[in-house]
C-alpha cells in the first residue's frame, strides 16, 4: 500500500478521491480486528496518541480511544475542562507543552473553527481534527462514506439527502465536501434559519425548504442533530414544529428509494429529527456508523503514525 | 536652506501637479519653483522620482496610550507615523481610560507635544466610557484639543441618543464619527458573511449589518444637519448609500482603509488572523466599489485604522484573535501599489491622504504655506519585516512581503521628523537638524 501523503487530517477539502479511497480501503483492512476474539494488534506499539478534547464528547473521544488501543498505541485522554484552559493557558502554550512530550498523533476537538489547523501549525507530529467549531469533522465524513460504501457498494453518483441544522454542522460541511468529490447529488432540507444563505454555492449542493424534494429517490438519508440551544437563538420556534416539518418518520422515508439507508451522526433526539420507528427500523445504519468509526479511526491513526510501508494486515 | 530638487510636487489644494524644486527654510516651504537657483550655502537634496506632497493626515489611528502601552505608545506610534509620511494623526478614544474627559485629552495632547514630532489630533468619545448612554462634555473636550467625537469601534446604536449626540456636537462644530454596524446582525461575527465564511465555518458579518446602520445614521444626520463621518466603509451598498446622501446634500463624509481597498475576504483563507479586521474584508465587488467611490469622491479620504496588537493576540485560534491590523507604515506602499496598478489616480490617492482628511476636520492641507511636507518615494522597495517597522506591533498580512513605496522625508512644523537617509528619526529632544 502506498504511503499516505498527508501529515495531518484537518479537513476533507485537502483530500482528493484517491486519498479518501486510500483511507477507506485501509479501514476495510482493520474492520475485522474489532470482530475478533482478541481485538488488538501490535501495529502502533510504542506510539503515543493524545486525545485533546476541548469540548465535551463521549462518542468521538471513545471511538478514537478504542481505535488507538486496538492498535496497541498508548492513548492519553486530555479533557480540557479538567485541565489547562481553566488555568487560562493559551492553545499555543498547550501545543508547546504537548510537543515536549513527543506524541506521535494529537487528536483535537475544539469549539473554534480552524483550531485544528492552528495546532497542526505548531506541532511537529500528526494532527487529526476531531471537530473544530462549525468547520470540519473529517473522520465523521470518512466513517459515513465507509458505511455508505459498504451498504451501497459505491460512493459514486448517489443521491444523498441531509436534513436539519447544516448551519452549525461541521459534520454536514465535511460530508458535503466528501460526497461532492464522488459526484453525489447532495440535497439539503431545513428551515432557512439553519441553512446559511451561501451554503448551496459554498458546497455545490441543492437546498430545499421542505423534505420531499430532498428525500425523493434518495439513496442515503442523513439526519442531523437539532441542538436545544438553537431555540434560545430564535432559530426555531419549537422542537414540535421542527419535527412536524423536518422530522424523518416512516412516511417521509417512504419517499426515498426502497432500500435507502438512514444515517445519523449521533447523539439522536428521538422524536425530533428522527422518528424512533426510523431510528430502529431496518433501513437504519446508525450502529454500523459507530462500528465503522472505530475501523476508520484505526486507519487514520495507522496512516499518520504507522511505519511507512507496513501493511495493516501484517499486524 | 534646504532645496529638494527635481521631485514632482502634488498639491491638491491648489490643483497643482508639477515638476519643481521645493525650497525650505527652517523646515518650512518658502518657495516652489520650476528651477531654483540655490545659493552656495544651501543643502541640496536630489529627490527626482519622488512626490512632494502635504504632510499626510490619518483620520483613524489607535495609539493605545494611555493604558495599552504593551501594544503601542505615543512615542512608537508617532515614530511609525513619521516613517509612514504622516504629519498628523487622529488618536482614537478607545484607550484605557477612555478619552472621555478633559484629563485624558490633556494627557494625550501634552505627551504628544513633548515628543515634538508628528502632531496628534485626538478624537474624544461621544458617550462616557463608550457605553452608549451619557454624552461627554464635548465643549470642554474641544477646548482641550479634541477635533471630533467617536465611540471608536462601539457604534451608537440608540437612534435617539445618536440624534442628541449629533445635535450637541453640531453646537460646537465637532464632527461625529461612527463605526456603522447593526450589532444584532453581526453577533459573534468573525469575518465577512459569504461563501468563504460558510466554508470556513466562521460566523459572518453580512454587508447588510453595515448598510442598515449607514442608512439609519445618514437619515439621523439629515434630521440634525450635523456632520456625520462614516468610518472605514467596507461594503458596496454603503458606498451607494453615502453617494445618495451626498447627492441629497446631507453633511456626510466617509473614509476607507488601504486594506479594504486592497484585500478581499480570501485573505482570511487558512484562518489567517492577520486578516481579521473590523469591519471585515469583503468581496471583490465591494473592493471595486470602494475604489470607485474613492475615485469619484463619494469617499473623502483614506484612513489607516492602525490597530496594533502583540504577536500573542494574533497567534491563536481565529475567534480568539484580536481585530485590526497596523497601517501607519503600510499605507503608502499599499496606496502606491494601487496607483501603480492604475486602480487609483495619483491625484485622488494623494488628495485622499491630505486634503480629504483635512476637509473632514475643517482644516487645510497644502505644500505651499502648509505646516507639514512629505517626500514620498513611490519606487522605494523594501521588505515588511519587524525590524523595518517603528510600530511596536507587526500585525499585518503584508508581513514578510516585498512592497514598493515609502516616505523618504517627513517635515512637521519646521522639523524634519523622519529622514530615511539618516535611517532613523532624529531625537525629538535635540534641536531640529533641518534648520539648514
Amino acid at each position: 500500500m502506498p504511503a499516505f501523503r498527508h501529515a495531518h487530517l484537518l479537513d476533507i477539502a485537502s483530500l482528493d478521491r484517491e486519498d479518501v479511497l486510500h483511507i477507506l480501503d485501509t479501514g476495510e483492512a482493520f474492520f475485522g480486528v474489532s470482530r475478533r476474539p482478541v481485538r488488538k494488534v501490535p501495529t502502533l506499539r510504542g506510539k503515543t496518541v493524545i486525545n485533546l478534547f476541548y469540548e465535551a464528547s463521549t462518542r468521538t473521544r471513545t471511538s478514537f480511544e478504542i481505535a488507538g488501543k486496538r492498535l496497541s498505541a498508548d492513548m492519553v485522554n486530555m479533557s480540557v475542562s479538567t485541565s489547562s484552559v481553566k488555568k487560562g493557558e493559551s492553545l499555543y502554550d498547550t501545543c508547546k507543552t504537548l510537543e515536549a512530550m513527543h506524541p506521535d498523533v494529537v487528536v483535537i476537538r475544539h469549539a473554534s473553527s480552524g483550531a485544528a489547523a492552528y495546532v497542526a501549525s505548531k506541532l511537529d507530529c500528526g494532527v487529526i481534527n476531531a471537530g473544530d467549531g462549525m468547520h470540519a469533522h473529517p473522520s465523521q465524513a470518512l466513517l459515513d462514506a465507509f458505511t455508505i460504501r459498504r451498504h451501497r457498494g459505491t460512493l459514486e453518483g448517489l443521491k444523498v439527502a441531509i436534513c436539519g441544522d447544516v448551519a452549525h454542522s461541521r459534520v454536514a460541511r465535511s460530508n458535503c465536501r466528501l460526497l461532492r468529490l464522488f459526484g453525489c447529488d447532495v440535497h439539503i432540507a431545513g428551515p432557512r434559519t439553519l441553512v446559511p444563505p451561501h451554503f448551496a454555492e459554498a458546497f455545490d449542493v441543492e437546498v430545499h425548504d421542505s423534505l420531499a424534494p430532498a428525500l425523493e429517490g434518495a439513496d442515503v438519508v442523513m439526519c442531523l442533530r437539532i441542538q436545544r440551544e438553537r431555540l434560545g437563538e430564535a432559530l426555531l420556534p419549537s422542537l414540535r414544529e421542527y419535527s412536524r416539518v423536518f422530522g424523518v418518520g416512516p412516511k417521509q422515508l417512504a419517499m426515498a428509494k426502497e432500500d435507502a439507508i438512514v444515517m445519523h451522526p449521533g447523539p439522536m433526539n428521538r422524536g425530533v429529527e428522527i422518528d424512533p420507528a426510523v431510528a430502529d427500523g431496518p433501513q437504519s445504519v446508525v450502529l454500523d456508523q459507530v462500528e465503522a468509526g472505530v475501523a476508520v479511526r484505526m486507519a487514520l491513526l495507522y496512516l499518520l503514525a504507522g511505519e511507512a510501508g507496513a501493511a495493516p494486515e501484517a499486524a | 536652506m534646504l532645496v529638494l530638487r527635481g521631485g514632482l510636487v502634488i498639491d491638491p489644494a491648489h490643483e497643482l501637479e508639477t515638476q519643481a524644486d521645493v525650497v525650505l527654510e527652517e523646515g518650512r516651504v518658502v518657495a516652489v519653483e520650476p528651477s531654483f537657483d540655490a545659493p552656495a550655502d544651501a543643502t541640496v537634496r536630489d529627490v527626482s522620482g519622488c512626490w512632494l506632497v502635504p504632510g499626510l493626515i490619518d483620520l483613524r489611528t489607535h495609539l493605545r496610550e494611555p493604558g495599552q502601552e504593551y501594544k503601542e505608545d505615543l512615542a512608537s506610534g508617532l515614530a511609525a507615523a513619521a516613517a509612514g509620511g504622516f504629519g498628523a494623526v487622529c488618536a482614537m478614544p478607545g484607550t484605557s481610560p477612555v478619552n472621555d474627559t478633559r484629563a485624558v485629552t490633556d494627557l494625550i495632547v501634552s505627551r504628544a507635544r513633548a515628543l515634538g514630532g508628528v502632531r496628534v489630533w485626538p478624537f474624544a468619545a461621544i458617550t462616557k466610557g463608550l457605553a452608549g448612554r451619557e454624552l461627554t462634555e464635548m465643549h470642554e473636550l474641544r477646548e482641550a484639543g479634541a477635533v471630533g467625537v467617536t465611540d471608536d469601534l462601539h457604534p451608537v446604536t440608540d437612534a435617539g441618543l445618536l440624534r442628541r449626540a449629533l445635535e450637541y456636537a453640531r453646537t460646537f462644530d465637532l464632527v461625529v464619527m461612527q463605526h456603522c454596524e447593526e450589532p444584532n446582525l453581526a453577533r459573534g461575527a468573525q469575518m465577512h458573511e459569504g461563501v468563504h465564511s460558510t466554508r470556513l465555518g466562521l460566523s459572518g458579518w453580512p454587508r447588510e449589518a453595515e448598510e442598515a446602520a449607514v442608512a439609519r445614521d445618514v437619515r439621523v444626520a439629515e434630521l440634525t444637519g450635523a456632520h456625520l463621518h462614516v468610518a472605514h466603509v467596507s461594503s458596496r451598498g454603503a458606498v451607494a448609500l453615502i453617494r445618495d446622501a451626498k447627492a441629497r446634500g446631507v453633511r456626510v463624509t466617509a473614509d476607507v482603509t488601504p486594506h479594504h481597498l486592497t484585500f478581499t475576504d480570501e485573505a482570511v483563507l487558512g484562518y489567517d488572523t492577520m486578516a481579521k479586521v473590523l469591519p471585515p474584508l469583503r468581496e471583490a465587488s465591494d473592493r471595486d466599489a470602494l475604489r470607485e467611490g474613492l475615485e469619484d469622491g463619494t469617499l473623502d479620504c483614506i484612513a489607516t485604522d492602525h490597530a496594533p496588537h502583540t504577536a500573542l493576540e494574533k497567534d491563536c485560534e481565529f475567534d480568539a484573535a484580536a481585530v485590526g491590523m497596523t497601517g501607519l507604515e503600510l499605507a503608502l506602499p499599499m496606496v502606491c501599489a494601487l496607483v501603480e496598478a492604475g486602480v487609483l489616480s495619483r491625484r485622488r490617492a494623494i488628495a485622499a491622504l491630505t486634503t480629504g482628511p483635512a476637509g473632514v476636520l475643517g482644516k487645510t492641507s497644502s505644500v505651499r504655506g502648509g505646516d507639514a511636507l512629505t517626500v514620498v518615494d513611490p519606487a522605494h522597495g523594501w521588505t515588511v519585516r519587524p525590524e523595518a517597522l517603528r510600530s511596536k506591533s507587526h500585525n499585518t498580512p503584508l508581513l514578510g512581503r516585498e512592497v514598493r513605496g515609502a516616505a523618504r522625508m517627513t517635515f512637521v512644523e519646521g522639523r524634519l521628523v523622519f529622514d530615511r537617509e539618516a535611517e532613523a528619526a532624529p531625537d525629538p529632544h535635540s534641536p531640529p537638524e533641518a534648520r539648514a
Side-chain angles (χ1 to χ4, degrees), chain B residues 71-428:
Chain B
K71 295 175 193 252
E72 192 84 284
D73 58 27
L74 285 162
S76 65
L78 296 180
F86 288 93
V89 297
C90 295
M92 290 295 104
T95 46
S96 178
V98 167
N99 183 9
D100 57 3
T101 56
R102 170 169 215 145
V104 181
T105 307
D106 280 343
L107 173 83
I108 294 167
V109 169
S110 62
R111 286 270 296 120
R113 202 167 283 152
L115 288 165
V118 174
R119 292 157 298 170
V120 174
W121 295 334
F123 266 72
I126 297 170
T127 64
K128 290 175 187 162
L130 310 177
R133 284 190 289 275
E134 296 169 76
L135 296 182
T136 54
E137 294 175 330
M138 294 181 194
H139 174 256
E140 187 167 87
L141 289 162
R142 193 195 155 157
E143 276 187 336
V147 295
V149 289
T150 179
D151 269 359
D152 211 337
L153 289 180
H154 304 260
V156 176
T157 54
D158 176 333
L161 181 68
L162 178 64
R163 172 184 181 171
R164 299 309 173 208
L166 283 160
E167 288 171 340
Y168 197 69
R170 187 186 171 183
T171 314
F172 307 110
D173 205 19
L174 286 165
V175 57
V176 175
M177 181 193 282
Q178 264 273 67
H179 159 75
C180 289
E181 170 184 347
E182 167 47 59
N184 290 314
L185 280 174
R187 244 182 283 165
Q190 301 295 324
M191 67 176 292
H192 170 67
E193 178 171 320
V195 167
H196 293 307
S197 68
T198 305
R199 287 191 185 136
L200 291 169
L202 292 171
S203 294
W205 224 92
R207 43 171 86 81
E208 288 75 8
E210 176 174 340
E211 291 157 7
V214 170
R216 188 201 70 167
D217 292 358
V218 158
R219 288 293 180 183
V220 179
E222 200 166 4
L223 169 69
T224 63
H227 177 186
L228 172 74
H229 180 81
V230 179
H232 47 219
V233 176
S234 74
S235 91
R236 60 192 190 211
V239 175
L241 285 163
I242 293 162
R243 189 176 285 126
D244 289 351
K246 283 191 163 182
R248 286 202 308 278
V250 183
R251 275 182 78 194
V252 58
T253 52
D255 70 74
V256 57
T257 72
H259 47 272
H260 286 103
L261 289 168
T262 303
F263 299 116
T264 65
D265 60 347
E266 289 186 7
V268 177
L269 294 178
Y271 299 97
D272 185 355
T273 58
M274 293 298 192
K276 183 175 174 180
V277 284
L278 196 65
L281 301 170
R282 299 196 189 272
E283 297 172 25
S285 60
D286 297 286
R287 186 194 58 189
D288 294 347
L290 294 169
R291 292 169 169 182
E292 194 190 325
L294 187 64
E295 195 62 46
D296 73 15
T298 301
L299 306 176
D300 301 83
C301 52
I302 295 171
T304 71
D305 230 345
H306 180 74
H309 294 292
T310 61
L312 268 182
E313 291 165 298
K314 286 289 191 181
D315 191 3
C316 56
E317 316 77 295
F318 195 87
D319 57 12
V323 288
M325 59 177 83
T326 56
L328 287 171
E329 293 162 273
L330 300 160
L332 273 178
M334 292 171 89
V335 171
C336 286
L338 293 169
V339 172
E340 175 78 23
V343 165
L344 216 56
S345 69
R346 186 171 57 201
R347 184 188 59 81
R348 262 312 284 165
I350 295 304
L353 287 162
T354 57
T355 48
V360 171
L361 299 169
K363 295 177 183 285
T364 57
S365 159
S366 66
V367 171
R368 262 187 299 205
D371 45 19
L373 176 76
T374 298
V375 181
V376 178
D377 183 352
H380 178 75
W382 57 291
T383 306
V384 184
R385 279 192 302 254
E387 314 84 77
L389 301 170
R390 273 91 181 152
S391 172
K392 280 190 187 178
S393 296
H394 318 118
N395 50 301
T396 164
L398 292 174
L399 202 62
R401 292 224 214 145
E402 299 279 333
V403 295
R404 268 155 63 91
R408 188 162 157 193
M409 284 182 250
T410 308
F411 296 89
V412 178
E413 291 184 335
R415 314 179 71 166
L416 177 60
V417 298
F418 176 74
D419 184 357
R420 192 164 296 282
E421 267 99 308
E423 267 312 303
D427 181 354

Side-chain angles (χ1 to χ4, degrees), chain A residues 34 61-71 75 294 298:
Chain A
S34 295
R61 188 185 55 74
T62 308
S63 183
F64 271 108
E65 188 174 351
I66 289 175
K69 285 183 169 166
R70 288 191 179 157
L71 292 171
M75 295 296 304
V294 174
M298 286 170 82

Side-chain angles (χ1 to χ4, degrees), chain A residues 48-226:
Chain A
T48 306
V49 178
I50 298 178
N51 263 339
L52 177 61
F53 276 61
Y54 282 87
E55 275 189 332
S57 159
T58 311
R59 310 165 65 91
T60 305
R61 188 185 55 74
T62 308
S63 183
F64 271 108
E65 188 174 351
I66 289 175
K69 285 183 169 166
R70 288 191 179 157
L71 292 171
S72 302
D74 295 310
M75 295 296 304
V76 182
N77 283 318
M78 274 187 66
S79 293
V80 180
S81 50
T82 60
S83 173
S84 18
V85 157
K86 288 245 162 101
K87 296 177 199 155
E89 187 174 75
S90 68
L91 190 52
Y92 177 85
D93 282 322
T94 303
C95 287
K96 289 293 156 194
T97 305
L98 289 183
E99 184 158 48
M101 299 177 194
H102 303 292
D104 296 281
V105 175
V106 169
V107 178
I108 178 167
R109 166 164 293 188
H110 199 285
S112 297
S113 297
Y118 176 78
V119 167
S121 74
K122 299 294 169 192
L123 284 178
D124 214 9
C125 66
V127 172
I128 296 176
N129 180 5
D132 62 330
M134 302 183 286
H135 171 232
H137 193 351
S139 68
Q140 178 73 43
L142 288 161
L143 75 87
D144 287 344
F146 185 94
T147 308
I148 293 169
R149 194 172 74 161
R150 283 207 142 216
H151 283 273
R152 309 301 294 186
T154 179
L155 287 170
E156 305 286 344
L158 302 174
K159 176 171 179 180
V160 180
I162 301 180
C163 313
D165 182 3
V166 300
H168 303 89
S169 178
R170 52 197 173 207
V171 175
R173 283 180 173 79
S174 285
N175 265 316
C176 287
R177 286 270 190 194
L178 191 153
L179 294 165
R180 292 297 297 138
L181 272 184
F182 291 89
C184 289
D185 202 8
V186 180
H187 293 257
I188 307 289
R192 294 276 168 164
T193 47
L194 299 179
V195 184
H198 300 93
F199 200 88
E201 187 188 347
F203 294 100
D204 191 21
V205 295
E206 300 264 330
V207 169
H208 307 283
D209 292 323
S210 62
L211 281 179
L215 292 183
E216 271 159 18
D219 296 277
V220 177
V221 178
M222 289 186 181
C223 300
L224 297 174
R225 177 179 169 78
I226 289 293

